[in-house]
Amino acid sequence: MKPEKTTKKLKLKSINSVMLAYFCIFSVLLLVLVYMVFYAIVTTTLSRHMRNRVVGVGTEAVEMLKRRPESKVLEQVFLHYREEEGIAVYMLSMDGQILVPFGIDININKSRVDEILRRTSSLTLDDDTTFRTEGYVNYCACVNFNDESCILFVSCSLGIISNAISSMQIYLLLVSVIALLLAFLISYTISQKLTQGLKNLSSTAVQFAHGDYNVKFYPADYKEVAQLSDTLNFVRDEVKKSHDFQREILANVTHDLKTPLTMIKAYASMVQEISGDNPEKRNQHLQVIIDEADRLTGLVNDVLSVSKVNSNLDEIHPKVFNLTEFLYGIINKFGYLQESGYSLMVDIDPDRYTRADEEKIGQVIYNLLGNAVNYTGEDKTVFISLKTSMDGNRIRLTVRDTGKGISKEELPNIWDRYYRSEQNHVRPVKGTGLGLNIVKVILQNHSFDFGVDSEKDNGSTFWVDFPSVPSDFEE
Ligand code: ADP
């Protein structure tokens, strides 16, 4: 039998692929975010920094002009800014002529000069202004140079920003590739670890489904998987218990069916061979057959109702009944054994009442009498007594046989389920090892004292103490 493939029917995705997809999406989102933050920081901070520097250079140049207005000195300073910081500084006349520095190939075109003149047309002496043109940040101040109003013009290219952005893009591309590779590796390792635990559980579950109830679901490294394995171990224990229980119930019921069937067969043969012509005896024997058939019906009903069978031994329905009469009734059913040479010796107090589950106590007495008959000695004698205790509170039932007895070592085991003694009894007995266990469970559920006194080769005496109650005992 193979497990049904829901995976194919529902087109389920594997944990591997889902984790990989999520990891990749996560990495891409993270990279996009990093890129956006970087872009914003680089463009705003760099351009602010450059603007400040351009203004700073402009102010320094104005100061210098006031202290050392000579063209040569100014030219040195302007060239220094240009070479060291890439910042161009010019002195322009009001009509757009470049006064300082002179004799240098100056990269400033006509349209830029026009733009500068336009922006500075409203400036008065010592006024300054800062503005951006395409790809440049600029500073202009109206100054006095060689007794004339001139324009000090400072400018810096923003190309450095686009350079920074494009190198950042290259780095980000590299980081993206590494991040995606890492995402793949990490997701693969985690999903392998995670699914390995699940795969182990799944293959153990298949073993379990094939009827191996001793499998163990091992916990993996993760809490949730460990919880799952705990749950599966719990389910296994419960299924095992229920399976064992069903097996035991089946064995119990089979055992219980055996005695009435033997009785029916024995009494039917007696009617056929002995009492057929004697109406009184025949009716007696037929009554036993009817009673036993009723018992069988009861058992079959129990089997049909599984829930009842499951709680069969635990459910006690006590009522007050005449134990003496009840015991005689059962002993009479064993009467047919006389024909085979058995004698049942009785010493029973009259009209003793007790409170118990009559049907289940019947099962106890049947099992004890059945065992005594099966295991008694060559004399085929069984002694049954029902005696009230001195204080009158208890009625003790004893069933004694003269068989080989039970050794001290075996005594504690005979009440165990499926226990069967290895020793040879007087007669070979085909038993199931369930009878005394059923006796034990029923009497324990009633909280009645019971036990056995036996010595090897000296017979066995099984006893049960019933509570003694008056016949008119109120329930
Ligand atoms: P079964 O009789 O079906 O084997 P029981 O649970 O009734 O199962 O008994 C368990 C074992 O106890 C028996 O196999 C037998 O060895 C021992 N036993 C029970 N009753 C007696 C008895 N009266 N005398 C000697 N041994 C007994």
Side-chain angles (χ1 to χ4, degrees):
M1 194 179 64
K2 278 192 169 176
E4 219 183 320
K5 296 259 184 208
T6 2
T7 37
K8 279 192 184 153
K9 264 198 250 162
L10 298 178
K11 288 195 178 143
L12 296 175
K13 296 177 191 105
S14 77
I15 290 183
N16 275 349
S17 57
V18 172
M19 276 196 85
L20 182 63
Y22 280 124
F23 261 86
C24 288
I25 292 171
F26 176 73
S27 323
V28 169
L29 284 179
L30 200 69
L31 288 168
V32 169
L33 194 74
V34 168
Y35 183 82
M36 280 163 60
V37 170
F38 248 70
Y39 187 82
I41 289 175
V42 166
T43 46
T44 52
T45 6
L46 261 186
S47 58
R48 193 180 319 122
H49 170 79
M50 285 174 74
R51 183 180 176 280
N52 290 345
R53 189 64 198 130
V54 165
V55 173
V57 168
T59 333
E60 276 169 27
V62 171
E63 289 299 314
M64 174 62 75
L65 180 68
K66 283 180 186 158
R67 279 185 278 118
R68 305 281 306 271
E70 307 92 46
S71 303
K72 275 275 173 214
V73 176
L74 285 178
E75 187 171 72
Q76 288 296 314
V77 174
F78 288 4
L79 288 176
H80 170 81
Y81 284 132
R82 189 188 180 91
E83 277 159 23
E84 295 297 313
E85 298 190 49
I87 297 173
V89 188
Y90 307 104
M91 186 67 79
L92 299 178
S93 66
M94 286 315 237
D95 56 358
Q97 293 297 310
I98 297 171
L99 306 175
V100 182
F102 31 74
I104 287 177
D105 177 20
I106 293 161
N107 184 17
I108 180 161
N109 57 29
K110 175 94 173 66
S111 63
R112 281 193 74 197
V113 173
D114 290 345
E115 172 77 17
I116 294 160
L117 293 179
R118 196 175 55 76
R119 294 258 186 182
T120 52
S121 58
S122 55
L123 290 185
T124 53
L125 195 63
D126 294 339
D127 270 357
D128 61 3
T129 180
T130 312
F131 56 94
R132 264 180 86 157
T133 52
E134 201 178 323
Y136 291 92
V137 55
N138 311 293
Y139 169 86
C140 287
C142 187
V143 292
N144 189 349
F145 178 62
N146 291 342
D147 295 330
E148 270 184 49
S149 283
C150 294
I151 293 161
L152 180 83
F153 172 61
V154 182
S155 170
C156 183
S157 163
L158 289 173
I160 191 170
I161 294 182
S162 47
N163 284 348
I165 287 172
S166 51
S167 49
M168 187 187 87
Q169 275 167 341
I170 294 168
Y171 283 123
L172 269 176
L173 195 72
L174 210 69
V175 170
S176 307
V177 173
I178 294 171
L180 284 177
L181 273 176
L182 276 179
F184 177 78
L185 265 177
I186 294 171
S187 68
Y188 182 77
T189 322
I190 294 180
S191 62
Q192 273 311 96
K193 260 192 135 188
L194 186 72
T195 50
Q196 195 50 51
L198 291 174
K199 278 180 199 156
N200 290 345
L201 290 183
S202 161
S203 65
T204 318
V206 171
Q207 263 177 278
F208 176 51
H210 285 132
D212 181 356
Y213 297 120
N214 294 318
V215 290
K216 183 154 174 42
F217 293 94
Y218 288 99
D221 303 345
Y222 303 97
K223 201 170 139 193
E224 288 77 5
V225 183
Q227 274 169 353
L228 178 62
S229 75
D230 285 349
T231 313
L232 286 171
N233 281 325
F234 176 69
V235 170
R236 176 209 56 203
D237 290 345
E238 289 304 302
V239 171
K240 189 168 185 283
K241 261 194 240 164
S242 143
H243 179 260
D244 289 349
F245 191 67
Q246 280 178 18
R247 227 181 46 193
E248 281 164 22
I249 288 291
L250 193 69
N252 282 0
V253 170
T254 319
H255 181 273
D256 288 348
L257 290 174
K258 229 173 48 185
T259 322
L261 280 174
T262 317
M263 292 263 210
I264 288 172
K265 196 178 167 209
Y267 275 87
S269 310
M270 276 161 67
V271 172
Q272 194 182 40
E273 288 162 18
I274 304 166
S275 59
D277 297 333
N278 179 339
E280 199 187 320
K281 269 205 155 186
R282 188 186 59 211
N283 279 347
Q284 252 182 25
H285 292 166
L286 287 176
Q287 189 54 50
V288 176
I289 294 177
I290 292 167
D291 288 351
E292 291 304 312
D294 284 346
R295 234 164 81 93
L296 277 180
T297 313
L299 281 169
V300 171
N301 282 343
D302 279 0
V303 177
L304 290 177
S305 151
V306 177
S307 59
K308 200 174 171 199
V309 168
N310 281 353
S311 53
N312 192 23
L313 290 180
D314 299 343
E315 262 180 37
I316 300 290
H317 302 289
K319 65 169 192 185
V320 175
F321 62 95
N322 188 327
L323 185 58
T324 305
E325 273 181 19
F326 187 62
L327 181 58
Y328 273 125
I330 297 173
I331 293 171
N332 284 341
K333 287 178 189 166
F334 280 86
Y336 72 96
L337 290 166
Q338 281 172 2
E339 319 284 339
S340 329
Y342 283 90
S343 20
L344 303 182
M345 311 297 284
V346 297
D347 179 8
I348 296 174
D349 281 356
D351 289 331
R352 293 292 119 207
Y353 282 81
T354 191
R355 187 171 178 275
D357 185 317
E358 197 174 4
E359 196 187 318
K360 294 211 164 57
I361 293 303
Q363 227 172 316
V364 169
I365 300 174
Y366 259 98
N367 287 353
L368 292 181
L369 286 185
N371 277 353
V373 168
N374 282 335
Y375 297 113
T376 196
E378 303 282 4
D379 60 2
K380 294 188 172 179
T381 309
V382 171
F383 298 88
I384 304 152
S385 75
L386 188 71
K387 292 275 146 202
T388 314
S389 62
M390 300 283 253
D391 58 9
N393 290 335
R394 286 171 296 120
I395 322 163
R396 174 164 288 200
L397 166 77
T398 57
V399 179
R400 182 164 70 85
D401 64 69
T402 60
K404 290 210 167 179
I406 306 161
S407 64
K408 267 205 175 76
E409 301 78 60
E410 279 192 311
L411 268 181
N413 304 327
I414 57 168
W415 307 98
D416 292 345
R417 198 162 284 171
Y418 302 123
Y419 180 79
R420 303 215 56 240
S421 156
E422 294 298 318
Q423 72 161 320
N424 287 324
H425 290 284
V426 177
R427 267 157 263 101
V429 180
K430 278 187 193 160
T432 56
L434 285 166
L436 287 182
N437 183 260
I438 295 172
V439 168
K440 181 178 90 169
V441 174
I442 292 175
L443 293 176
Q444 279 179 343
N445 286 335
H446 277 84
S447 307
F448 291 173
D449 286 339
F450 63 96
V452 56
D453 303 316
S454 181
E455 272 177 36
K456 200 147 171 50
D457 299 324
N458 218 359
S460 315
T461 306
F462 284 84
W463 58 268
V464 182
D465 281 345
F466 293 94
S468 176
V469 297
S471 58
D472 53 357
F473 182 83
E474 295 280 329
E475 291 283 335

